[in-house]
């Protein structure tokens, strides 16, 4: 049988141009597939939890560790993210089109929730403390909010895809490039075009995994 | 080997209480699995295309034909929908958490589009005429709009799941039960709480597949 | 995170030599994977339904729209076909080795059916009118026939693979290149070798998706 | 964590009514799922290779060992078959809608082949001796024939599904219950209705896995 | 369309007897499937990180949060575990037959490693500090060891299955019930039967997820 | 539609550098994918069963026929192995991280078994005679032993992956390169470091598929 090294030679070449974009999430066909077979660094990512992090406009910071950061994750259908929340910071309503998420609070308190699909659109929400675990089903709109005005919060999120993707609702609907016609959005949100124009003016830099 | 009839006996029992909700979309393990093995009606649905249809508040009507309507679809990972659009009607921005969609225009004209995930949120849109085909990738926000003020439009949409699900963005974000906190939404959409309260007041009956 | 453009650069290169042959049908790992990230045409196919179409020896015409025609379908596990039937035309008995099919009649009338696997080989058949929907389970032999001697028919078929494949039974069994030994076929069909030789002489150009 | 015994309690109940028909072929969710957790017999099947076997009308005998014979195979996506061929016996042209097959000759000689899908319908064939291995891709029409007029042959076939299914072409096309209209078949095979009627009269008892 | 409540009615009944043992890890067919549709507790698990935990004979403690603890995980293919290590404690060499693992150190220091499959059996190892991330590919033998003689360590492990399973090598090989024949093991480990008998005498209570 | 030849052109190029290492085991997207479309040899492997074979230190010989030997197996999720056992020879305790196995005895007698996962670690074992069939669930530790001191044995094993992988426990745990720390192993196996050092000194050349 060919050695793992030779079996992954092509993968090594392809990795130079981000080939993992072609693959999909099912069962792997080898132990792993990375460029340099002799380094444990392809399975490792240093990410100090103690360093305070700069947060964005909605006062959060998401550090995704997916197949781009740890090449060894290729074909294995899993990734994680660390999320830092400043006091009153949030990870605003978004979906992961390709993953379910399990979130563990490691510091502080979070108010979290998700909304079910049509026709019921039920909100399931909960206040989580340090050590608590909550899950967000694949493709559903969800959010996390740090309700504490004085203390930051930190969570670790496990996601069921090596490249889960994220769609921040406000950014995608009101901040797409080019914008969606305000005629379409006014009818969809049952408001005047002027309100849509106002909402479209507020979109800001994306900040999600 | 056991006959298909006996192999599907349990499925028949379970179908009485909608058992298909448990299954998933991968390869089937038998020819098909339906309650009454001797009727072709488990593979069939009458749905006259000529009948004019009543439309909803956004002036569209979606008739989904999934595993609930055609039990034979069980385990096969595919379904279809017929969509009727009144003049200036729309199928507002929504996602299918479990399916990619291919839409074929069979009557009239449609302006359609989808938005890519973070961080680019690009809008891909197109005007389609009778016979034209367009696709919406799994999990991405998309919409269809009939720009003709006088003529209706009709489309057939194929979806890559026996139960694709749908999340209408406006309904889920501003019309969930109970509502998402306006403190969270105000920050997410970068507007005042008053604007969020106004938007939440507009939600209406869900109307999507 | 790398932008979708860079993530799909390799896919773009590979697409030039039909790389989709390597991929498989499961969950995608990105929004989509196409060569030119800035054109909606990768998600679109013009296919006028009004144009009358030339039909083949069995008086039908199949226009498959799979990943070859719409590159955006890559990794999404779905495709569609438009089928035109002249009066008394048919889509003869065939299988799709990699897909289940849902067929919607958009013009005319069709007599359709499929046969279950061993040991029962039951025929499930139905006459369909405009708007009616029927499904053919993965891998089973099926056919459609336009019984109207004066009117054409048109159907749209959705298939659960980006490249479903088709095996027309008569062509494969009696028209393979080189032919199957008539000693084998005579025993299999329980007839004389002369009958097999006669059948093999009738095979004609393939005409299926 | 619940013990495997309790986790499989329901499976035990369901097995009484052949519940495996509902499941599909992907990754298992437990070590295995059988009714009686304490017997190795759920993983075992006695099948003496030395016993001569009675053959059918086409002079072969197929002994499938799938999830029905070995309950432990449930959810594991694999099965095997032993095939005995009398001198000049055959396993006539057939497909497995849900499996690829690897065949190993353990006694005698076999002439084997498969035909590719449209539009090329190429025949790939080979004469195999004891110990030789050949594969038949999923869904393609294939056959085996023992060309030796004096010696029997035996093969072991591994199949990539716990319930692969089989469609014997002659039986399904000319022996379905009820028969396919001879008007459809005459056009499909490009012969007179009389020839079709003759072929339909020859069908016999099914004899395949 | 049926409401999620009715679609999951059967799942609710089945959950009472641990039905999740039957399912597999692929794409879900609904938003989620839990017994009581109106409680967020099916998506939640309280698990205080601050409480010191009792450790076992190898001085570790594994708290798995899989589908048994959070019913909402059903069909979503992901779970997590919290692992506590006393000073010089370890999670001894083991495999997960159904999952890849991503481990994040949240307290202390860990020496971790995995061994590749035949024929190379390479050891990839690394010392991890607080915040560092390491992955263990599906099915490979791996371990974690807290080398600090004075400080405990804590890690969060994400696993790519709702029920990953674990096989502790020493326990399975030398502590199975009934024992593997010492004639087999003596040859396999290339030692005297007496050494095997000694090893078999040391096995102790299992302590793993 | 593109011909199979052109669709597989890239696969042909990639095959030169073992590209199959990148792919995974799910549904194929074409009839097959091999370099030279016109040769049946890509689906064939000569492997005479009559030739006596040289055995290794544990007195067995494993001949794996996977995608490396039969390129046509690519994307089809199945492979087979022939195993020869000298008198008192064994295939020592090992796992296949990516496959379930079905073993058929074609010559002689075998004592076979597997051990379940934590926490029960039950041994399921059986003595098999010629023609008997036994299965080993995915990822579980298993072994075969020829208890006859005078007669050899031969088995054919079917595996549910095109590249199942194998981990021989003794070799991986006590013979990894570099070795696992004896401090870790002494605690894991509950023995003195001296015993571990002795075991590590015994490892020998790997001999498994």
């Amino acid at each position: 049988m060919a050695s793992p090294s030779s079996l992954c030679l092509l993968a090594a070449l392809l990795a130079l141009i981000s080939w993992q974009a072609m693959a999909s999430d099912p069962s792997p066909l080898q132990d792993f597939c990375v460029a340099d077979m002799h380094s444990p660094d392809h399975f490792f990512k240093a990410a100090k939890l103690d360093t305070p992090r700069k947060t964005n406009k909605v006062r959060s910071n998401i550090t995704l560790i997916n197949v781009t950061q740890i090449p060894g994750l290729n074909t294995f259908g899993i990734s994680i993210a660390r999320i830092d929340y400043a006091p009153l910071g949030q990870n605003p309503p978004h979906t992961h089109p390709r993953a379910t998420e399990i979130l563990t609070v490691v510091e502080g308190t979070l108010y979290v929730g998700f909304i079910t699909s049509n026709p019921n659109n039920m909100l399931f929400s909960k206040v989580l403390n340090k050590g608590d675990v909550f899950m967000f089903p694949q493709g559903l709109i969800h959010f996390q909010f740090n309700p504490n005005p004085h203390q930051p919060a930190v969570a670790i999120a496990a996601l069921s895809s090596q490249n889960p993707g994220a769609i921040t609702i406000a950014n995608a609907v009101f901040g797409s490039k080019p914008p969606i016609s305000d005629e379409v959005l006014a009818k969809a949100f049952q408001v005047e075009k002027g309100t849509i124009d106002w909402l479209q003016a507020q979109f800001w830099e994306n900040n999600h995994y």
Side-chain angles (χ1 to χ4, degrees), chain A residues 5-62:
Chain A
S5 288
S6 71
L7 283 174
C8 280
L9 177 59
L10 178 61
L13 295 173
L14 292 176
L16 298 175
I17 42 173
S18 298
W19 80 274
Q20 64 276 11
M22 299 185 303
S24 59
D25 267 337
S27 318
L29 272 193
Q30 59 293 316
D31 284 0
F32 46 76
C33 234
V34 296
D36 175 353
M37 290 291 298
H38 298 90
S39 163
D41 290 344
H42 281 310
F43 307 97
F44 167 75
K45 181 75 181 176
K48 298 216 164 297
L49 273 172
D50 296 325
T51 317
R53 306 200 169 196
K54 206 174 72 172
T55 55
N56 60 15
K57 209 167 180 177
V58 288
R59 303 179 61 79
S60 65
N61 181 317
I62 292 147

Side-chain angles (χ1 to χ4, degrees), chain A residues 144-158:
Chain A
Q144 302 106 34
F145 172 63
N146 175 5
N148 189 309
H150 306 299
Q151 300 294 333
V154 181
I156 291 178

Side-chain angles (χ1 to χ4, degrees), chain A residues 23-122:
Chain A
S24 59
D25 267 337
S27 318
L29 272 193
Q30 59 293 316
D31 284 0
F32 46 76
C33 234
V34 296
D36 175 353
M37 290 291 298
H38 298 90
S39 163
D41 290 344
H42 281 310
F43 307 97
F44 167 75
K45 181 75 181 176
K48 298 216 164 297
L49 273 172
D50 296 325
T51 317
R53 306 200 169 196
K54 206 174 72 172
T55 55
N56 60 15
K57 209 167 180 177
V58 288
R59 303 179 61 79
S60 65
N61 181 317
I62 292 147
T63 309
L64 179 63
I65 297 182
N66 70 358
V67 69
T68 306
Q69 283 75 42
I70 298 191
L73 287 175
N74 190 36
T75 76
F76 287 122
I78 195 165
S79 58
I80 64 165
R82 169 186 164 176
I83 316 175
D84 292 79
Y85 311 80
L88 301 181
Q90 71 170 269
N91 185 0
H94 64 287
T95 69
H96 301 295
R98 293 180 291 278
T100 292
E101 178 177 341
I102 304 182
L103 181 135
T104 306
V105 179
V106 291
E107 294 293 340
T109 298
L110 288 176
Y111 167 69
V112 306
F114 68 83
I115 301 107
T116 66
S117 68
N118 299 348
N120 292 327
N121 299 135
M122 290 183 288

Side-chain angles (χ1 to χ4, degrees), chain A residues 142-199:
Chain A
H142 61 288
F143 62 89
Q144 302 106 34
F145 172 63
N146 175 5
N148 189 309
H150 306 299
Q151 300 294 333
V154 181
I156 291 178
L159 296 127
S160 64
S161 168
Q162 72 178 51
N163 190 26
I167 299 170
T168 303
I169 300 300
N171 296 22
V173 173
F174 296 111
S176 72
K177 305 170 199 75
I180 301 175
S181 144
D182 58 4
E183 182 175 1
V184 169
L185 291 180
K187 177 77 93 184
F189 287 83
Q190 299 283 314
V191 293
E192 298 299 309
K193 284 190 188 179
T195 305
I196 296 299
D197 296 344
W198 172 252
L199 282 158

